[in-house]
Amino acid sequence: MSGPVVAVIGGLGIAGGSDQPPGLVDASLQFSSHVEGVVAADRDAPIAAGLSVMFATGSYDNTQPPPSFTSNPDERISFRRGGIGLVIEGRLPLGPVHLVAGAAPYLVLTEAKASAIVQPVLIPADYFSESDVSVGAEVRAGVDVRVDARALVGVRGGWTWYSAHLGAAGGGTFGGPWAELRIAVEFDTLSR
């Protein structure tokens, strides 16, 4: 009989950006990922909970004017966010298929940067760089399929909310949908 199970999970996908006029407009699609470690009472337990680290990176139209001593400014402001939080998922096992829904609060770090070439030394440097830390939240749903005694593959889709204030570029409440492909590898904490 197996005891508690620890799963290490990795996910890769895309996320939608959200505009915050006037300074953060024309949001790109974002590269999205989650890395998680969760614990469940057993492989088919209805609840799993653990630590989640999420990351996304994308860009906005560069609305920040460069200093007079620079040239060739970036056309886009690079934008990224990273967060750490606690995730809880409810699971409904249907044979090898698990239907899943969950939520997570996060502490989120958001960063935005733009660079240009400094004259006359011709060295690239950031002329705009802002960051902010806030709380955020996420809801999600998806499906996992057991492909091995210790492995599952699946999909997750959800929505993330967080706030950020990024200096002259402005800010507000950000958020958007995301979707990822995931793989989970399980480890028994004890067996007998």
Side-chain angles (χ1 to χ4, degrees):
M1 176 183 292
S2 65
V5 173
V6 175
V8 178
I9 305 161
L12 295 174
I14 57 172
S18 57
D19 287 355
Q20 291 294 333
L24 295 168
V25 295
D26 191 23
S28 70
L29 279 178
Q30 299 176 0
F31 167 82
S32 171
S33 67
H34 285 75
V35 177
E36 297 174 351
V38 301
V39 178
D42 58 54
R43 284 189 168 79
D44 292 324
I47 299 291
L51 184 68
S52 177
V53 176
M54 58 99 162
F55 177 79
T57 182
S59 66
Y60 286 89
D61 186 39
N62 189 357
T63 58
Q64 303 305 302
S68 58
F69 56 86
T70 63
S71 63
N72 300 320
D74 291 339
E75 294 183 358
R76 308 281 294 177
I77 293 174
S78 65
F79 181 88
R80 64 182 180 181
R81 62 175 164 83
I84 185 168
L86 298 173
V87 62
I88 299 176
E89 289 190 338
R91 305 185 297 183
L92 177 62
L94 301 172
V97 177
H98 290 189
L99 304 181
V100 181
Y106 285 94
L107 184 66
V108 182
L109 170 65
T110 306
E111 297 179 321
K113 293 183 178 182
S115 65
I117 303 298
V118 179
Q119 301 292 342
V121 293
L122 303 180
I123 296 174
D126 293 336
Y127 71 86
F128 171 78
S129 180
E130 294 287 346
S131 63
D132 194 18
V133 176
S134 67
V135 294
E138 179 180 274
V139 293
R140 56 169 73 180
V143 177
D144 291 329
V145 178
R146 185 167 296 283
V147 295
D148 183 82
R150 298 180 182 274
L152 300 96
V153 296
V155 295
R156 289 291 186 282
W159 199 283
T160 302
W161 297 268
Y162 59 100
S163 64
H165 298 279
L166 300 169
T173 301
F174 293 80
W178 56 271
E180 293 180 1
L181 298 175
R182 292 160 55 98
I183 184 167
V185 177
E186 296 174 333
F187 301 90
D188 291 328
T189 58
L190 57 90
S191 62
R192 65 180 182 214

